[in-house]
Each structure stands twice: as C-alpha cells, then as structure tokens.
Amino acid sequence: MNRTERFGSVVFAVLLAVSLVGPSVGLAAADGQEEQTGTASPLSEMAGSGTPQDPYVITTVGELQAMNDDLRAHYVLGNDVDASVTETWNAGNGFQPIGSQEGAFRGSLDGNGHTITGLTIVRPRQTNVGLFGRSAGTVQNVSLRDVLVNGNRNIGALAGFSSGSITGSSATGELLGSSVRVGGLVGVNSGQIVAAYADASVSGSEIVGGLVGANNGPLRGSYAAGTVDSERVAGGLVGANSNALTASYATATVDVEEVGGGLAGTNAGTIRTSYAASRVSGDRNLGGLVGTNGDSIVSQTYWDEGAAGVENASGDEAGIGTALSTDDLTGESATENVDGFDTANVWMATDDYPVHQWERADVDPLDQWQVPTPTPAPSTPTATPTDVPTPSPTPTSSGGTFGAGPGFGPVAVLVAVAALAALAVSRRPY
C-alpha cells in the first residue's frame, strides 16, 4: 500500500470513529445539560403574571414552594392547600422556607380566606425557619393549620424573621427551636403585625412567645393561646418586647425556669390596653403580665391573678398593671372593669374573656383596622424566571442528536490531529 492509500485509510478510520462516537458523546453532553438546567418553574404554568394587579394564583403546595423562584412577585391562594406531603420532601427536611438571609421575600401573599394545612419544615441547624424564612413583604389573611416547624433560631410558623407587614394571619401546630427566638407565628418581628393569632405548642431555649419570639415592631390587636415552654425568657404573647404592644391579649400556659410573664417575658417597650389570663409557672422572675419590666411604660393593662398563679404583675416587682379576679375579667360586664378598651371599634365582651371584634366571622381585620395595601417599593424590574434554553439538537440519520458544542469538541480535535498527522506522513519523500 503506497502512502496516498495509507492517508486515505487513516482519514476513513477517523471519520468512521466520529460517526460512531460523536452521537453518543454529544447525547451524553446534552443529557448532562438538561439535568443542570432542570425543569420549568411552576410559575410559568400558573394563572396570573405576578404583578399586584394580576398576582400568581397558588392552588397546590408545589406552586407554594415555587414562590422561591420569584421573591418579588405577588401571590394569592386560589383554594385551600394540603401541604401534608411536605413531610416526605427533601429527605425528611420538608418544605424549603421562602426567602433567606441571602434574599428576603419582598412581594406579597394574600391567603384570600383559604388555609394551608399540614406544612412540615424540619431544619434543626438552620436560622430563619417558617413558611417564610425571611420576609420583608406583605402577608395577609394567611391561615396555617397543624404545622410542624423545627429549626435552630428565629422560628415561626409563618415567618422566621419578618421586617414586613403581617395582617389577619394565624397558625396552629407545633414549633420547636433548639436555640433562641421562637414564636407561634413569627420568630422575630421587626415590621408590623396586626390582627393575628397563634394557638400552638411553642418551645425553645430562650426568648419564646406564644405569638412572637422577639418583638421589635408594632404589634396590635392580636392574641395567643396554647403552651409556651422555655428555659429562660418566655411570655404568653411575646418572649421579649421592645416596641409598642397594643390592644392584645394572651390566654396561654407558660412554663419557664426563669423570667416569664403571662403577656411578655421581658418588656423594654410599651404595653397599652391589653390583658393576660395566662398560667405562669417556673422558678424565679415570674409575673402575671411580664417577667421583667424595668422602667418601661405599661398602662391600662390587666391580668387575671387567679389564672396566673403568681403574686405580682412583674417578676421584678415593677408595680405595673392591675390585677383582676376571673369574675371581673370575664362575662358581659368585663369591659366595664377595664379602662381604655375601645368597645366601639376594637373589643367586645363574651361569656368568657373579652375578644377582638375582628374575631367574628363576619368582620374583615383589614377593614376594621384600616390597614392599607402597601405599595411595593420601587425596584429594578425582575423578569419571571424561565428555563435556560437547551441548545437546539442537530438531527442525524440514525435518529440520535449531537449536543451543540459540548461533547463534540474533543472528537473534532481528534479529527484535526489525525488529519494533520496523516498529511505529514503523506508529504514525506519515498
């Protein structure tokens, strides 16, 4: 065989290798790309466009989870959502909280009178754990039922950390924190909470409250029941208060080793027109209203001394609040025994303790409290996430496909090297 024939044989062999190997390599690369880009976000299939005027409509727990795909969009529940399947998600870790330290939720969610039931989140080493890990947005009329939320610090059924607005929302279930700042609804509130409640079992090591763990923002017209368990600093409504707490109450059971109160564990803010009918038990610094108060303002606020089981309103004997008997604080005449309680617009008497008027089924908390719908802060427009396009396949006679670029590159290099080598051989003198 002469050198020209040898050259032809080499080229033929190389081309044969390309025809056999190329499609399989290209296919593998294309498959790898598909795994990396993942499936389309459920947002692309949901009704709505994510604007305040045309919010995305959530009808399944999968669509609820997809809120993480656009943290600035606006959402509304279209029906009740059964989230019980989340107990099997992520190897038992459950639902992934919406928003985090790296990026808070800044849109809105309107529960629209519907409930989310059976939500499970088990992330014992994580900070900011709840339906929302971290929220700076607007949440209203969201009802969570039978939740199980387990985290490290900043734990709440609705939000681990909230610097936004929460109105007309509630939670029941079990909240477990291995560290600090655990609340039945919110772990840390640095925004505002209006007309909200929690009836849950709440436990943590420190700063634990029936509704909020650490309250650093205005809290109005809200209440908590259930049980609160902590080693240190616990309150029937809030673990630690450093802002304005108004027209709220607690009828919880508080069990704490030290520093506990029927309404707040510690108070460094103001408390007005509120009451506590919580049972408080522990070792020291226990009060029917607060565990410690210092010189903070507490006015027109009452506590049921028969229900509390303690001698003072404050564990540090700050001389605050007014003690009433259970008979004086319950029944149709209860509102006559408390000063400052607005019975025309806020409170109403019952056969039991006074409650908020918004607790009636025919009253909308947003209307009663005249809570305006916040206007979203100006921001750089963010497009709705879509799939990263997969490179267009090139058809072959065998029905396979070549990935464009990845996978075929090494084969092309092999062809070029082999061709150059063969050309060099063919040019050598005889």
Side-chain angles (χ1 to χ4, degrees):
M1 182 182 293
N2 59 35
R3 296 183 183 273
T4 300
E5 291 173 335
R6 291 176 182 173
F7 173 74
S9 298
V10 169
V11 172
F12 174 78
V14 169
L15 292 176
L16 178 62
V18 170
S19 67
L20 295 175
V21 176
S24 62
V25 173
L27 278 169
D31 288 344
Q33 276 190 332
E34 185 175 353
E35 289 177 4
Q36 291 173 3
T37 57
T39 58
S41 167
L43 295 181
S44 62
E45 303 295 329
M46 291 164 59
S49 58
T51 65
Q53 298 75 25
D54 184 32
Y56 288 121
V57 180
I58 296 170
T59 59
T60 69
V61 68
E63 293 172 348
L64 185 69
Q65 183 68 89
M67 290 178 67
N68 262 326
D69 294 344
D70 191 343
L71 297 175
R72 291 183 177 270
H74 301 267
Y75 304 85
V76 62
L77 293 187
N79 50 245
D80 292 346
V81 174
D82 182 356
S84 57
V85 69
T86 55
E87 68 178 355
T88 66
W89 284 9
N90 299 314
N93 289 328
F95 189 88
Q96 180 181 350
I98 300 162
S100 64
Q101 189 70 32
E102 290 69 35
F105 174 73
R106 298 182 182 278
S108 69
L109 173 62
D110 186 348
N112 199 27
H114 298 295
T115 62
I116 299 168
T117 305
L119 184 71
T120 296
I121 308 174
V122 181
R123 299 172 184 269
R125 297 184 179 180
Q126 189 169 321
T127 297
N128 299 332
V129 181
L131 172 64
F132 293 95
R134 193 176 182 100
S135 173
T138 301
V139 181
Q140 62 187 39
N141 296 331
V142 175
S143 299
L144 296 165
R145 296 292 177 267
D146 301 324
V147 303
L148 172 60
V149 180
N150 184 343
N152 182 16
R153 59 181 63 197
N154 301 356
I155 313 301
L158 185 62
F161 186 104
S162 174
S163 57
S165 173
I166 296 173
T167 306
S169 299
S170 62
T172 69
E174 185 175 7
L175 291 300
L176 305 169
S178 56
S179 186
V180 300
R181 297 184 291 275
V182 187
L185 191 70
V186 177
V188 179
N189 172 47
S190 291
Q192 71 164 351
I193 297 177
V194 179
Y197 78 88
D199 186 352
S201 171
V202 190
S203 63
S205 64
E206 187 173 358
I207 309 179
V208 181
L211 186 73
V212 179
N215 183 57
N216 307 320
L219 174 59
R220 298 182 292 150
S222 300
Y223 75 92
T227 61
V228 179
D229 191 351
S230 176
E231 295 176 11
R232 188 174 185 277
V233 186
L237 187 71
V238 300
N241 178 54
S242 61
N243 206 285
L245 193 162
T246 310
S248 299
Y249 70 91
T251 57
T253 299
V254 180
D255 189 358
V256 59
E257 292 182 13
E258 60 176 313
V259 190
L263 198 63
T266 63
N267 178 42
T270 62
I271 301 176
R272 291 185 170 91
T273 59
S274 300
Y275 76 85
S278 302
R279 181 72 178 178
V280 183
S281 61
D283 295 333
R284 58 182 180 273
N285 293 117
L286 308 177
L289 281 175
V290 300
T292 60
N293 186 75
D295 297 324
S296 299
I297 297 173
V298 177
S299 66
Q300 297 177 318
T301 297
Y302 304 83
W303 59 288
D304 184 335
E305 59 181 343
V310 295
E311 296 180 355
N312 299 302
S314 174
D316 58 1
E317 301 183 7
I320 58 172
T322 301
L324 293 177
S325 67
T326 301
D327 288 341
D328 287 339
L329 198 51
T330 59
E332 295 296 327
S333 62
T335 52
E336 299 174 5
N337 300 320
V338 291
D339 294 331
F341 280 42
D342 182 357
T343 56
N345 302 294
V346 178
W347 296 96
M348 67 179 186
T350 69
D351 291 338
D352 205 342
Y353 293 101
V355 300
H356 302 106
Q357 292 185 19
W358 66 257
E359 294 179 52
R360 300 199 325 250
D362 60 338
V363 176
D364 185 342
L366 273 70
D367 290 340
Q368 187 199 11
W369 288 90
Q370 298 180 340
V371 178
T373 301
T375 302
S379 60
T380 303
T382 303
T384 301
T386 57
D387 275 352
V388 177
T390 301
S392 301
T394 302
T396 66
S397 58
S398 63
T401 58
F402 286 96
F408 192 73
V411 177
V413 173
L414 176 63
V415 171
V417 172
L420 289 173
L423 182 61
V425 171
S426 66
R427 291 183 176 179
R428 292 181 58 184
Y430 290 97

